[in-house]
Amino acid sequence: MKPTNDMSCFLAHAIVLEDEAAEQYDELADTMAMHRNRPVEELFRRMAGFSRLHRDEAIELARLHAGALPDLKPWEFEWVGDESPESAAGDQAHYLMTAHHALQLALAAERRAEQFYAHIAASSDRPDICAQAAEFAAEEAEHAEILVRWLARTPQPVRGWAADPDPPNVVE
Ligand code: ZN
């Protein structure tokens, strides 16, 4: 069973991907809240909401069309890379990260998600999976576009942004 030949397996991947994306956006939003950057914090909360809507849509599609979701173990997922596409950048989040960096991380995650869905759409010979994956890929491309526009008007950080002489106690 692979995401390219089984709809429920494909949707299980989409659910994990979107759930992890939402969590990453929550973390990035919290980081921007620490920076008191309300506009970018609100952008990330909104993007987290998109990911959860997407996840819920995949859950609903699974319920309607694919029967029960497979109970996949983490190692049974087949991503294009090792980690699920939208979460791969999560470890790079840093409390000193500027809005520019945060937007770049988010953009990279959206692009990986788009690539994952586009890869499924291009390599599956199941028309229903291809169509669904292509639709999800198009939505990820729209998310990426939003971030590209924000990046265009968010200034580049100065060098040395990660050097904090007085780090707060951050509980991970
Ligand atoms: Zn997305």
mmCIF file of all heavy atoms in Angstrom, residues 85-128:
data_model
loop_
_atom_site.group_PDB
_atom_site.id
_atom_site.type_symbol
_atom_site.label_atom_id
_atom_site.label_comp_id
_atom_site.label_asym_id
_atom_site.label_seq_id
_atom_site.Cartn_x
_atom_site.Cartn_y
_atom_site.Cartn_z
ATOM 1 N N PRO A 85 6.901 16.402 4.495
ATOM 2 C CA PRO A 85 7.382 17.608 3.801
ATOM 3 C C PRO A 85 7.202 18.910 4.571
ATOM 4 O O PRO A 85 8.097 19.740 4.566
ATOM 5 C CB PRO A 85 6.554 17.615 2.519
ATOM 6 C CG PRO A 85 6.204 16.188 2.286
ATOM 7 C CD PRO A 85 6.024 15.596 3.648
ATOM 8 N N GLU A 86 6.064 19.124 5.213
ATOM 9 C CA GLU A 86 5.861 20.436 5.810
ATOM 10 C C GLU A 86 6.576 20.583 7.156
ATOM 11 O O GLU A 86 6.681 21.673 7.682
ATOM 12 C CB GLU A 86 4.363 20.790 5.923
ATOM 13 C CG GLU A 86 3.752 21.133 4.544
ATOM 14 C CD GLU A 86 2.519 22.031 4.575
ATOM 15 O OE1 GLU A 86 2.517 23.056 5.269
ATOM 16 O OE2 GLU A 86 1.552 21.700 3.887
ATOM 17 N N SER A 87 7.048 19.485 7.720
ATOM 18 C CA SER A 87 7.632 19.590 9.056
ATOM 19 C C SER A 87 9.150 19.615 9.039
ATOM 20 O O SER A 87 9.767 19.860 10.062
ATOM 21 C CB SER A 87 7.185 18.415 9.921
ATOM 22 O OG SER A 87 7.856 17.249 9.520
ATOM 23 N N ALA A 88 9.745 19.353 7.895
ATOM 24 C CA ALA A 88 11.191 19.137 7.865
ATOM 25 C C ALA A 88 11.978 20.326 8.400
ATOM 26 O O ALA A 88 13.080 20.174 8.901
ATOM 27 C CB ALA A 88 11.644 18.808 6.440
ATOM 28 N N ALA A 89 11.399 21.520 8.314
ATOM 29 C CA ALA A 89 12.129 22.703 8.754
ATOM 30 C C ALA A 89 11.912 23.001 10.233
ATOM 31 O O ALA A 89 12.535 23.902 10.774
ATOM 32 C CB ALA A 89 11.707 23.914 7.918
ATOM 33 N N GLY A 90 11.060 22.245 10.889
ATOM 34 C CA GLY A 90 10.657 22.564 12.256
ATOM 35 C C GLY A 90 11.793 22.733 13.238
ATOM 36 O O GLY A 90 11.781 23.643 14.064
ATOM 37 N N ASP A 91 12.807 21.872 13.115
ATOM 38 C CA ASP A 91 13.914 21.931 14.064
ATOM 39 C C ASP A 91 14.724 23.207 13.927
ATOM 40 O O ASP A 91 15.505 23.543 14.795
ATOM 41 C CB ASP A 91 14.846 20.733 13.856
ATOM 42 C CG ASP A 91 14.122 19.429 14.137
ATOM 43 O OD1 ASP A 91 13.058 19.488 14.774
ATOM 44 O OD2 ASP A 91 14.622 18.375 13.717
ATOM 45 N N GLN A 92 14.567 23.887 12.823
ATOM 46 C CA GLN A 92 15.362 25.096 12.617
ATOM 47 C C GLN A 92 14.751 26.316 13.300
ATOM 48 O O GLN A 92 15.347 27.380 13.305
ATOM 49 C CB GLN A 92 15.505 25.390 11.126
ATOM 50 C CG GLN A 92 16.264 24.304 10.363
ATOM 51 C CD GLN A 92 16.207 24.560 8.871
ATOM 52 O OE1 GLN A 92 16.395 25.670 8.421
ATOM 53 N NE2 GLN A 92 15.926 23.528 8.105
ATOM 54 N N ALA A 93 13.540 26.166 13.829
ATOM 55 C CA ALA A 93 12.899 27.306 14.486
ATOM 56 C C ALA A 93 13.758 27.727 15.675
ATOM 57 O O ALA A 93 14.308 26.912 16.390
ATOM 58 C CB ALA A 93 11.499 26.928 14.936
ATOM 59 N N HIS A 94 13.861 29.005 15.876
ATOM 60 C CA HIS A 94 14.746 29.544 16.887
ATOM 61 C C HIS A 94 14.077 30.787 17.429
ATOM 62 O O HIS A 94 13.483 31.553 16.672
ATOM 63 C CB HIS A 94 16.094 29.878 16.225
ATOM 64 C CG HIS A 94 17.155 30.283 17.188
ATOM 65 N ND1 HIS A 94 17.123 31.494 17.841
ATOM 66 C CD2 HIS A 94 18.266 29.645 17.596
ATOM 67 C CE1 HIS A 94 18.193 31.582 18.627
ATOM 68 N NE2 HIS A 94 18.905 30.471 18.489
ATOM 69 N N TYR A 95 14.170 31.000 18.713
ATOM 70 C CA TYR A 95 13.415 32.110 19.288
ATOM 71 C C TYR A 95 13.915 33.481 18.822
ATOM 72 O O TYR A 95 13.224 34.473 18.940
ATOM 73 C CB TYR A 95 13.392 32.026 20.812
ATOM 74 C CG TYR A 95 14.706 32.347 21.482
ATOM 75 C CD1 TYR A 95 14.945 33.631 21.987
ATOM 76 C CD2 TYR A 95 15.704 31.390 21.617
ATOM 77 C CE1 TYR A 95 16.162 33.937 22.589
ATOM 78 C CE2 TYR A 95 16.906 31.680 22.215
ATOM 79 C CZ TYR A 95 17.134 32.963 22.690
ATOM 80 O OH TYR A 95 18.328 33.263 23.279
ATOM 81 N N LEU A 96 15.156 33.518 18.304
ATOM 82 C CA LEU A 96 15.687 34.797 17.816
ATOM 83 C C LEU A 96 15.451 35.010 16.331
ATOM 84 O O LEU A 96 15.820 36.035 15.770
ATOM 85 C CB LEU A 96 17.201 34.866 18.073
ATOM 86 C CG LEU A 96 17.585 35.090 19.518
ATOM 87 C CD1 LEU A 96 19.096 34.989 19.658
ATOM 88 C CD2 LEU A 96 17.104 36.447 20.000
ATOM 89 N N MET A 97 14.843 34.013 15.717
ATOM 90 C CA MET A 97 14.611 34.092 14.290
ATOM 91 C C MET A 97 13.800 35.340 13.932
ATOM 92 O O MET A 97 12.821 35.669 14.585
ATOM 93 C CB MET A 97 13.832 32.827 13.925
ATOM 94 C CG MET A 97 13.302 32.760 12.567
ATOM 95 S SD MET A 97 12.839 31.052 12.255
ATOM 96 C CE MET A 97 11.776 30.739 13.619
ATOM 97 N N THR A 98 14.243 36.006 12.899
ATOM 98 C CA THR A 98 13.506 37.187 12.452
ATOM 99 C C THR A 98 12.306 36.769 11.610
ATOM 100 O O THR A 98 12.188 35.616 11.192
ATOM 101 C CB THR A 98 14.398 38.087 11.575
ATOM 102 O OG1 THR A 98 14.720 37.356 10.387
ATOM 103 C CG2 THR A 98 15.670 38.488 12.304
ATOM 104 N N ALA A 99 11.430 37.751 11.356
ATOM 105 C CA ALA A 99 10.266 37.485 10.511
ATOM 106 C C ALA A 99 10.705 36.971 9.138
ATOM 107 O O ALA A 99 10.089 36.064 8.585
ATOM 108 C CB ALA A 99 9.438 38.755 10.356
ATOM 109 N N HIS A 100 11.792 37.532 8.636
ATOM 110 C CA HIS A 100 12.291 37.103 7.322
ATOM 111 C C HIS A 100 12.656 35.615 7.332
ATOM 112 O O HIS A 100 12.255 34.861 6.447
ATOM 113 C CB HIS A 100 13.505 37.954 6.928
ATOM 114 C CG HIS A 100 13.930 37.763 5.509
ATOM 115 N ND1 HIS A 100 13.420 38.506 4.466
ATOM 116 C CD2 HIS A 100 14.798 36.882 4.949
ATOM 117 C CE1 HIS A 100 13.956 38.099 3.331
ATOM 118 N NE2 HIS A 100 14.803 37.120 3.598
ATOM 119 N N HIS A 101 13.408 35.209 8.350
ATOM 120 C CA HIS A 101 13.785 33.793 8.460
ATOM 121 C C HIS A 101 12.563 32.901 8.603
ATOM 122 O O HIS A 101 12.470 31.829 8.010
ATOM 123 C CB HIS A 101 14.689 33.575 9.681
ATOM 124 C CG HIS A 101 16.062 34.102 9.511
ATOM 125 N ND1 HIS A 101 16.493 35.256 10.124
ATOM 126 C CD2 HIS A 101 17.109 33.649 8.783
ATOM 127 C CE1 HIS A 101 17.758 35.479 9.783
ATOM 128 N NE2 HIS A 101 18.146 34.525 8.975
ATOM 129 N N ALA A 102 11.647 33.335 9.466
ATOM 130 C CA ALA A 102 10.443 32.529 9.717
ATOM 131 C C ALA A 102 9.649 32.349 8.430
ATOM 132 O O ALA A 102 9.174 31.251 8.126
ATOM 133 C CB ALA A 102 9.591 33.195 10.794
ATOM 134 N N LEU A 103 9.542 33.431 7.663
ATOM 135 C CA LEU A 103 8.807 33.353 6.395
ATOM 136 C C LEU A 103 9.520 32.424 5.413
ATOM 137 O O LEU A 103 8.876 31.680 4.671
ATOM 138 C CB LEU A 103 8.659 34.754 5.789
ATOM 139 C CG LEU A 103 7.640 35.660 6.498
ATOM 140 C CD1 LEU A 103 7.876 37.129 6.133
ATOM 141 C CD2 LEU A 103 6.208 35.254 6.159
ATOM 142 N N GLN A 104 10.859 32.457 5.434
ATOM 143 C CA GLN A 104 11.615 31.557 4.547
ATOM 144 C C GLN A 104 11.409 30.092 4.928
ATOM 145 O O GLN A 104 11.255 29.237 4.059
ATOM 146 C CB GLN A 104 13.106 31.897 4.596
ATOM 147 C CG GLN A 104 13.464 33.090 3.732
ATOM 148 C CD GLN A 104 14.957 33.390 3.767
ATOM 149 O OE1 GLN A 104 15.604 33.222 4.799
ATOM 150 N NE2 GLN A 104 15.493 33.820 2.650
ATOM 151 N N LEU A 105 11.421 29.800 6.247
ATOM 152 C CA LEU A 105 11.164 28.431 6.695
ATOM 153 C C LEU A 105 9.788 27.968 6.254
ATOM 154 O O LEU A 105 9.608 26.846 5.770
ATOM 155 C CB LEU A 105 11.235 28.347 8.225
ATOM 156 C CG LEU A 105 12.592 28.245 8.885
ATOM 157 C CD1 LEU A 105 12.407 28.052 10.389
ATOM 158 C CD2 LEU A 105 13.383 27.083 8.308
ATOM 159 N N ALA A 106 8.802 28.848 6.461
ATOM 160 C CA ALA A 106 7.425 28.504 6.105
ATOM 161 C C ALA A 106 7.319 28.280 4.596
ATOM 162 O O ALA A 106 6.673 27.328 4.147
ATOM 163 C CB ALA A 106 6.479 29.612 6.555
ATOM 164 N N LEU A 107 7.985 29.135 3.825
ATOM 165 C CA LEU A 107 7.945 29.005 2.361
ATOM 166 C C LEU A 107 8.572 27.680 1.929
ATOM 167 O O LEU A 107 8.025 26.975 1.068
ATOM 168 C CB LEU A 107 8.665 30.185 1.702
ATOM 169 C CG LEU A 107 8.763 30.141 0.164
ATOM 170 C CD1 LEU A 107 7.382 30.084 -0.477
ATOM 171 C CD2 LEU A 107 9.543 31.353 -0.355
ATOM 172 N N ALA A 108 9.706 27.336 2.532
ATOM 173 C CA ALA A 108 10.368 26.075 2.178
ATOM 174 C C ALA A 108 9.440 24.891 2.472
ATOM 175 O O ALA A 108 9.365 23.937 1.693
ATOM 176 C CB ALA A 108 11.683 25.935 2.943
ATOM 177 N N ALA A 109 8.727 24.959 3.602
ATOM 178 C CA ALA A 109 7.801 23.876 3.966
ATOM 179 C C ALA A 109 6.658 23.779 2.957
ATOM 180 O O ALA A 109 6.270 22.684 2.543
ATOM 181 C CB ALA A 109 7.261 24.094 5.376
ATOM 182 N N GLU A 110 6.107 24.934 2.566
ATOM 183 C CA GLU A 110 5.018 24.912 1.581
ATOM 184 C C GLU A 110 5.494 24.341 0.251
ATOM 185 O O GLU A 110 4.786 23.589 -0.410
ATOM 186 C CB GLU A 110 4.452 26.324 1.364
ATOM 187 C CG GLU A 110 3.790 26.945 2.580
ATOM 188 C CD GLU A 110 2.460 26.292 2.948
ATOM 189 O OE1 GLU A 110 1.994 25.396 2.225
ATOM 190 O OE2 GLU A 110 1.894 26.692 3.980
ATOM 191 N N ARG A 111 6.724 24.707 -0.134
ATOM 192 C CA ARG A 111 7.247 24.212 -1.414
ATOM 193 C C ARG A 111 7.474 22.700 -1.368
ATOM 194 O O ARG A 111 7.211 21.997 -2.345
ATOM 195 C CB ARG A 111 8.560 24.913 -1.761
ATOM 196 C CG ARG A 111 8.395 26.381 -2.101
ATOM 197 C CD ARG A 111 9.094 26.704 -3.409
ATOM 198 N NE ARG A 111 9.297 28.132 -3.610
ATOM 199 C CZ ARG A 111 8.382 28.962 -4.100
ATOM 200 N NH1 ARG A 111 7.181 28.494 -4.409
ATOM 201 N NH2 ARG A 111 8.646 30.237 -4.262
ATOM 202 N N ARG A 112 7.961 22.200 -0.209
ATOM 203 C CA ARG A 112 8.145 20.750 -0.101
ATOM 204 C C ARG A 112 6.800 20.030 -0.145
ATOM 205 O O ARG A 112 6.672 18.959 -0.733
ATOM 206 C CB ARG A 112 8.900 20.399 1.188
ATOM 207 C CG ARG A 112 10.420 20.516 1.063
ATOM 208 C CD ARG A 112 11.109 19.909 2.270
ATOM 209 N NE ARG A 112 10.668 20.569 3.491
ATOM 210 C CZ ARG A 112 11.235 21.665 3.986
ATOM 211 N NH1 ARG A 112 12.276 22.203 3.382
ATOM 212 N NH2 ARG A 112 10.761 22.212 5.086
ATOM 213 N N ALA A 113 5.798 20.618 0.511
ATOM 214 C CA ALA A 113 4.460 20.012 0.484
ATOM 215 C C ALA A 113 3.929 19.983 -0.944
ATOM 216 O O ALA A 113 3.395 18.968 -1.404
ATOM 217 C CB ALA A 113 3.524 20.790 1.393
ATOM 218 N N GLU A 114 4.101 21.111 -1.646
ATOM 219 C CA GLU A 114 3.649 21.177 -3.042
ATOM 220 C C GLU A 114 4.343 20.088 -3.870
ATOM 221 O O GLU A 114 3.705 19.394 -4.661
ATOM 222 C CB GLU A 114 3.961 22.571 -3.613
ATOM 223 C CG GLU A 114 3.489 22.749 -5.039
ATOM 224 C CD GLU A 114 4.051 24.016 -5.693
ATOM 225 O OE1 GLU A 114 4.610 24.869 -4.975
ATOM 226 O OE2 GLU A 114 3.922 24.125 -6.913
ATOM 227 N N GLN A 115 5.666 19.944 -3.650
ATOM 228 C CA GLN A 115 6.416 18.929 -4.396
ATOM 229 C C GLN A 115 5.927 17.522 -4.086
ATOM 230 O O GLN A 115 5.844 16.674 -4.966
ATOM 231 C CB GLN A 115 7.911 19.022 -4.062
ATOM 232 C CG GLN A 115 8.628 20.108 -4.857
ATOM 233 C CD GLN A 115 9.995 20.432 -4.266
ATOM 234 O OE1 GLN A 115 10.545 19.637 -3.500
ATOM 235 N NE2 GLN A 115 10.535 21.584 -4.610
ATOM 236 N N PHE A 116 5.607 17.293 -2.793
ATOM 237 C CA PHE A 116 5.114 15.968 -2.415
ATOM 238 C C PHE A 116 3.823 15.655 -3.168
ATOM 239 O O PHE A 116 3.697 14.608 -3.814
ATOM 240 C CB PHE A 116 4.892 15.886 -0.903
ATOM 241 C CG PHE A 116 4.205 14.604 -0.489
ATOM 242 C CD1 PHE A 116 4.901 13.397 -0.511
ATOM 243 C CD2 PHE A 116 2.879 14.597 -0.107
ATOM 244 C CE1 PHE A 116 4.270 12.210 -0.157
ATOM 245 C CE2 PHE A 116 2.242 13.413 0.254
ATOM 246 C CZ PHE A 116 2.943 12.220 0.224
ATOM 247 N N TYR A 117 2.865 16.575 -3.108
ATOM 248 C CA TYR A 117 1.585 16.337 -3.781
ATOM 249 C C TYR A 117 1.770 16.243 -5.295
ATOM 250 O O TYR A 117 1.151 15.409 -5.957
ATOM 251 C CB TYR A 117 0.587 17.448 -3.439
ATOM 252 C CG TYR A 117 0.088 17.419 -2.006
ATOM 253 C CD1 TYR A 117 0.071 18.575 -1.222
ATOM 254 C CD2 TYR A 117 -0.396 16.240 -1.447
ATOM 255 C CE1 TYR A 117 -0.407 18.565 0.082
ATOM 256 C CE2 TYR A 117 -0.875 16.212 -0.136
ATOM 257 C CZ TYR A 117 -0.875 17.382 0.622
ATOM 258 O OH TYR A 117 -1.351 17.354 1.901
ATOM 259 N N ALA A 118 2.625 17.109 -5.852
ATOM 260 C CA ALA A 118 2.849 17.087 -7.297
ATOM 261 C C ALA A 118 3.509 15.771 -7.717
ATOM 262 O O ALA A 118 3.192 15.215 -8.773
ATOM 263 C CB ALA A 118 3.717 18.278 -7.714
ATOM 264 N N HIS A 119 4.396 15.269 -6.863
ATOM 265 C CA HIS A 119 5.051 13.986 -7.134
ATOM 266 C C HIS A 119 4.016 12.856 -7.182
ATOM 267 O O HIS A 119 4.048 11.997 -8.066
ATOM 268 C CB HIS A 119 6.105 13.720 -6.053
ATOM 269 C CG HIS A 119 6.623 12.315 -6.031
ATOM 270 N ND1 HIS A 119 7.558 11.858 -6.932
ATOM 271 C CD2 HIS A 119 6.317 11.257 -5.232
ATOM 272 C CE1 HIS A 119 7.812 10.581 -6.674
ATOM 273 N NE2 HIS A 119 7.074 10.196 -5.655
ATOM 274 N N ILE A 120 3.091 12.867 -6.221
ATOM 275 C CA ILE A 120 2.026 11.849 -6.217
ATOM 276 C C ILE A 120 1.174 11.994 -7.481
ATOM 277 O O ILE A 120 0.880 11.009 -8.162
ATOM 278 C CB ILE A 120 1.117 11.992 -4.975
ATOM 279 C CG1 ILE A 120 1.921 11.856 -3.680
ATOM 280 C CG2 ILE A 120 -0.037 10.981 -5.022
ATOM 281 C CD1 ILE A 120 2.435 10.487 -3.370
ATOM 282 N N ALA A 121 0.792 13.242 -7.793
ATOM 283 C CA ALA A 121 -0.063 13.485 -8.965
ATOM 284 C C ALA A 121 0.618 12.999 -10.245
ATOM 285 O O ALA A 121 -0.032 12.474 -11.143
ATOM 286 C CB ALA A 121 -0.405 14.969 -9.076
ATOM 287 N N ALA A 122 1.940 13.165 -10.304
ATOM 288 C CA ALA A 122 2.667 12.811 -11.527
ATOM 289 C C ALA A 122 2.968 11.321 -11.603
ATOM 290 O O ALA A 122 3.143 10.778 -12.694
ATOM 291 C CB ALA A 122 3.972 13.607 -11.606
ATOM 292 N N SER A 123 3.024 10.636 -10.454
ATOM 293 C CA SER A 123 3.499 9.247 -10.507
ATOM 294 C C SER A 123 2.414 8.210 -10.223
ATOM 295 O O SER A 123 2.662 7.014 -10.356
ATOM 296 C CB SER A 123 4.693 9.054 -9.558
ATOM 297 O OG SER A 123 4.346 9.449 -8.253
ATOM 298 N N SER A 124 1.208 8.646 -9.840
ATOM 299 C CA SER A 124 0.137 7.679 -9.601
ATOM 300 C C SER A 124 -0.591 7.377 -10.899
ATOM 301 O O SER A 124 -0.757 8.266 -11.746
ATOM 302 C CB SER A 124 -0.856 8.243 -8.577
ATOM 303 O OG SER A 124 -1.979 7.386 -8.473
ATOM 304 N N ASP A 125 -1.019 6.128 -11.081
ATOM 305 C CA ASP A 125 -1.845 5.858 -12.259
ATOM 306 C C ASP A 125 -3.320 5.710 -11.877
ATOM 307 O O ASP A 125 -4.132 5.232 -12.660
ATOM 308 C CB ASP A 125 -1.337 4.632 -13.045
ATOM 309 C CG ASP A 125 -1.048 3.449 -12.158
ATOM 310 O OD1 ASP A 125 -1.627 3.377 -11.046
ATOM 311 O OD2 ASP A 125 -0.243 2.592 -12.570
ATOM 312 N N ARG A 126 -3.639 6.153 -10.646
ATOM 313 C CA ARG A 126 -5.047 6.182 -10.229
ATOM 314 C C ARG A 126 -5.600 7.587 -10.461
ATOM 315 O O ARG A 126 -5.183 8.540 -9.787
ATOM 316 C CB ARG A 126 -5.137 5.831 -8.732
ATOM 317 C CG ARG A 126 -4.904 4.344 -8.422
ATOM 318 C CD ARG A 126 -6.229 3.606 -8.369
ATOM 319 N NE ARG A 126 -7.192 4.303 -7.533
ATOM 320 C CZ ARG A 126 -7.432 3.991 -6.253
ATOM 321 N NH1 ARG A 126 -6.785 3.017 -5.679
ATOM 322 N NH2 ARG A 126 -8.329 4.677 -5.564
ATOM 323 N N PRO A 127 -6.562 7.736 -11.382
ATOM 324 C CA PRO A 127 -7.073 9.078 -11.707
ATOM 325 C C PRO A 127 -7.619 9.824 -10.487
ATOM 326 O O PRO A 127 -7.442 11.048 -10.381
ATOM 327 C CB PRO A 127 -8.193 8.797 -12.723
ATOM 328 C CG PRO A 127 -7.898 7.445 -13.278
ATOM 329 C CD PRO A 127 -7.177 6.680 -12.210
ATOM 330 N N ASP A 128 -8.284 9.119 -9.574
ATOM 331 C CA ASP A 128 -8.855 9.815 -8.415
ATOM 332 C C ASP A 128 -7.752 10.362 -7.504
ATOM 333 O O ASP A 128 -7.836 11.488 -7.000
ATOM 334 C CB ASP A 128 -9.828 8.901 -7.639
ATOM 335 C CG ASP A 128 -9.194 7.584 -7.205
ATOM 336 O OD1 ASP A 128 -8.133 7.195 -7.759
ATOM 337 O OD2 ASP A 128 -9.753 6.934 -6.299
#
